[in-house]
Amino acid sequence: MQVTHKSAVLGFLVAGFSLLFLQGCEPNNPQFTAPKPIDTSLCSFKTDVCAKTVADVDIQLSVNPWQAPSEKPLTLTLNTSKPVENLKVKLQGRDMFMGIIPVNLTQTDKTVYQGELVYGSCSSGYMVWSTVVSFTSGGEEVFTTFDFLADHPG
C-alpha cells in the first residue's frame, strides 16, 4: 500500500487537531477562591444614601434597586443641599476600564435630579463602579466620586 503525500499531510493534520482538542477535555479542577469581603468604604444603598460634601454643597446619591444589578435599568437620584449649575454625572469602572457611561439627568425639583442607566456585567464577579459628579460652584468646576459595588449581594 502506497501512502501519498496528500494522505500523509491529512493524517498529520487530523492527529494534530485531535491532540489539540483532547487537551481541552482534561478534568475540570477549579481552584477554590474565597469570596471577596465587601469593602466598607463603598456606598451601600441598602442601608442609606451615600453622602459627600464638596464646595459647601452636600450631595446625596441613591441607586434603585439598591443591589445595583448589572445589565438591568437603574435609577440614580442625586439630592443637593442647594441649587447647583451644570450638574453632570458619569459612571466608569474604578479598577478596570468598562467605558464611560454618561447619565442624562432630569431635574425633578430645585435640588433633586434623576437619571436612568444600564451598565454591563463584569466576568470577575466583583465590579466597583465610580459615579463621577461634577458641577459649577463659584465659577469653578468641582467634582466628587461615589464608589459602589455592582450586583451587591446584600
Side-chain angles (χ1 to χ4, degrees):
M1 178 172 158
Q2 185 177 16
V3 177
T4 65
H5 179 66
K6 283 184 179 181
S7 63
V9 170
L10 183 60
F12 178 75
L13 288 174
V14 169
F17 281 118
S18 296
L19 286 175
L20 179 67
F21 290 118
L22 287 175
Q23 288 179 355
C25 296
E26 293 178 18
N28 189 7
N29 295 324
Q31 293 181 349
F32 175 75
T33 54
K36 284 190 173 186
I38 301 298
D39 182 347
T40 57
S41 71
L42 300 177
C43 295
S44 176
F45 302 114
K46 180 180 182 180
T47 57
D48 203 1
V49 296
C50 209
K52 300 233 178 156
T53 301
V54 60
D56 291 329
V57 177
D58 299 326
I59 304 169
Q60 295 180 334
L61 173 70
S62 63
V63 171
N64 188 23
W66 66 265
Q67 299 94 339
S70 299
E71 300 178 343
K72 305 277 188 208
L74 303 176
T75 301
L76 182 143
T77 303
L78 274 172
N79 294 299
T80 59
S81 59
K82 56 186 173 184
V84 296
E85 295 177 6
N86 301 320
L87 181 67
K88 297 177 197 159
V89 174
K90 64 182 176 183
L91 244 64
Q92 59 193 29
R94 183 188 73 177
D95 303 318
M96 68 179 73
F97 184 73
M98 297 285 286
I100 297 174
I101 303 168
V103 180
N104 294 323
L105 297 173
T106 301
Q107 190 170 2
T108 60
D109 195 2
K110 287 183 182 180
T111 60
V112 180
Y113 304 83
Q114 281 192 331
E116 289 197 3
L117 66 128
V118 175
Y119 50 71
S121 64
C122 175
S123 62
S124 76
Y126 190 87
M127 180 64 201
V128 176
W129 288 93
S130 206
T131 306
V132 181
V133 178
S134 65
F135 59 91
T136 303
S137 177
E140 290 187 42
E141 186 176 36
V142 294
F143 73 95
T144 190
T145 59
F146 296 88
D147 295 339
F148 65 93
L149 180 63
D151 305 304
H152 198 292

